[in-house]
Amino acid sequence: MNNVILEVKDLKMHFPIKIKNKGFLSIKKSVKAVDGVSFEIREGETLGLVGESGCGKSTTGKMIVKLLNPTEGSIMFKGKDIFKADRKESKLLRKEVQIIFQDPYSSLDPRYTVGRTISEPLLVHRIGDEKVRKERALKLMNDVGLMEEYYDRYPHEFSGGQRQRIGVARALALNPSLIVCDEPVSALDVSIQAQILNLMQELQKKYQLTYLFISHNLSVVKHICDRVAVMYLGKIVEIASKKDLFADPKHPYTQALLSAIPIPDPEIVVGQEMLEGEVPSPVDPPSGCRFHTRCKHAIDICKKDEPKDLVLGDDHIVACHLYNDKEEHK
């Protein structure tokens, strides 16, 4: 558990855009989707990456699987910078890092049968003959709870939960070490969500997998994750173990997120901490702490200086000026 399998350092992803000015001129600016993110994932654990929609979670995940090239920063996988790897090394890295997409309806090719979908990664990497690939696909179908007679069927013949099981099996085809799970259950019914989450935990133990679990649902994160990183407007504001984060959140944004989790008991009255204002634009984010425009604890320094990562106790990191005089800088 202590071996770091993935290390992300100062990762940035800026998308250039043109904004029309008055008249015929346009101004070149950038959407700062990810703006200086750093974290690490240890072998065998599940790290949750949470935050509001548009905070840069999925963009971070896509850079880890090399679907996007970062503007700045590095991603070290097993000690190697994935963006400095040559073609041969990149192909080997792609076998080790896979992704499960959010939407099981659009992530599967409607022209491919289940068997073809699951065995396609083996074909691309020239692993085994047709018989070996079919045996591997059937084994994975069994692992994810799909019957063998589904092998020659097409995606439109399945429910959302079954399609996501196909997606999970496809991600496992090359026997990866790390899987990026990009909101894998958000498009599913609640009862099906629980089944997929339990399946993922079983497969993690069986195949010694490491997960980056991207989600906006804190209840789901609490169920499956070991540690949690909280993201706001392209920045990570807090990282802690699941136990510490849910028991004693430090950052005001994390506190607001946790207070918004609904409790399924009408008799329990909880004072919800409502966030005021709108999420600022990633094109022109606020100076200093990006959360200061919505934070009721904000002080003058929050508007001027960007907070540094502070270590609070055991493996609990927070970026907030409220703790400046108390803890050590990372």
Side-chain angles (χ1 to χ4, degrees):
M1 277 290 285
N2 293 325
N3 295 331
V4 175
I5 192 171
L6 185 87
E7 187 175 8
V8 175
K9 287 185 179 180
D10 301 321
L11 197 64
K12 295 183 181 181
M13 185 70 246
H14 296 176
F15 296 100
I17 59 169
K18 288 184 179 180
I19 298 175
K20 285 189 176 181
N21 200 355
K22 292 181 179 179
F24 298 98
L25 299 177
S26 60
I27 302 171
K28 292 182 179 179
K29 288 198 172 185
S30 295
V31 176
K32 297 171 183 175
V34 179
D35 201 24
V37 163
S38 299
F39 61 87
E40 60 184 35
I41 306 178
R42 298 158 191 165
E43 193 171 1
E45 79 168 344
T46 300
L47 176 70
L49 187 59
V50 304
E52 294 171 288
S53 296
C55 72
K57 307 184 301 292
S58 293
T59 302
T60 301
K62 287 174 182 176
M63 284 189 280
I64 290 172
V65 296
K66 294 190 74 173
L67 290 176
L68 292 172
N69 290 323
T71 307
E72 288 182 31
S74 65
I75 299 174
M76 306 292 289
F77 178 74
K78 292 186 176 180
K80 294 181 180 178
D81 190 331
I82 66 172
F83 294 105
K84 291 182 180 178
D86 58 28
R87 188 173 180 181
K88 185 178 179 180
E89 289 174 328
S90 292
K91 194 168 184 180
L92 292 172
L93 284 168
R94 288 186 185 279
K95 290 172 64 177
E96 293 243 38
V97 183
Q98 293 292 308
I99 185 169
I100 300 170
F101 292 99
Q102 176 179 358
D103 186 1
Y105 295 90
S106 62
S107 64
L108 302 178
D109 192 324
R111 300 167 299 174
Y112 285 4
T113 62
V114 172
R116 173 72 187 273
T117 297
I118 297 173
S119 61
E120 180 73 5
L122 300 171
L123 183 63
V124 169
H125 287 268
R126 299 178 181 178
I127 297 173
D129 55 20
E130 188 175 348
K131 181 183 178 183
V132 169
R133 291 194 290 269
K134 182 173 183 178
E135 288 174 354
R136 175 69 172 163
L138 289 172
K139 182 182 184 304
L140 289 170
M141 287 175 65
N142 180 65
D143 286 344
V144 301
L146 295 170
M147 293 186 287
E148 288 189 6
E149 50 261 42
Y150 294 167
Y151 185 85
D152 292 315
R153 294 188 184 180
Y154 290 87
H156 72 270
E157 300 179 65
F158 297 95
S159 66
Q162 288 173 319
R163 289 178 185 175
Q164 197 59 293
R165 289 174 188 269
I166 298 168
V168 172
R170 178 179 58 186
L172 290 172
L174 295 170
N175 197 25
S177 303
L178 172 69
I179 298 181
V180 175
C181 311
D182 187 9
E183 306 240 24
V185 297
S186 63
L188 307 177
D189 294 338
V190 175
S191 59
I192 306 301
Q193 286 184 16
Q195 293 176 22
I196 299 298
L197 291 172
N198 291 335
L199 171 66
M200 291 178 66
Q201 287 181 311
E202 292 169 10
L203 294 170
Q204 184 175 31
K205 293 177 182 177
K206 182 172 183 177
Y207 288 103
Q208 289 83 50
L209 298 169
T210 303
Y211 291 144
L212 172 64
F213 194 91
I214 298 168
S215 180
H216 64 269
N217 189 329
L218 286 163
S219 298
V220 169
V221 167
K222 189 176 183 180
H223 177 76
I224 196 171
C225 295
D226 301 302
R227 289 190 304 131
V228 183
V230 181
M231 201 166 178
Y232 180 79
L233 205 63
K235 296 274 190 182
I236 287 181
V237 298
E238 187 167 3
I239 303 177
S241 68
K242 173 178 66 178
K243 181 181 178 181
D244 287 349
L245 191 90
F246 282 86
D248 187 21
K250 300 294 185 182
H251 198 281
Y253 177 62
T254 309
Q255 294 168 2
L257 286 182
L258 293 178
S259 74
I261 299 175
I263 297 175
D265 188 342
E267 300 297 322
I268 298 176
V269 179
V270 179
Q272 191 177 38
E273 187 176 333
M274 299 295 292
L275 285 175
E276 297 180 358
E278 297 293 326
V279 179
S281 169
V283 176
D284 191 19
S287 59
C289 174
R290 297 193 172 186
F291 187 61
H292 83 259
T293 57
R294 304 173 73 195
C295 180
K296 65 181 182 181
H297 304 291
I299 53 181
D300 288 340
I301 194 174
C302 300
K303 302 174 185 178
K304 302 173 185 177
D305 298 335
E306 188 174 317
K308 295 181 179 179
D309 288 342
L310 303 166
V311 179
L312 307 179
D314 183 26
D315 209 22
H316 195 144
I317 299 169
V318 65
C320 182
H321 288 299
L322 297 177
Y323 303 93
N324 272 351
D325 299 328
K326 301 177 184 179
E327 306 298 337
E328 62 177 299
H329 289 265
K330 187 185 176 187

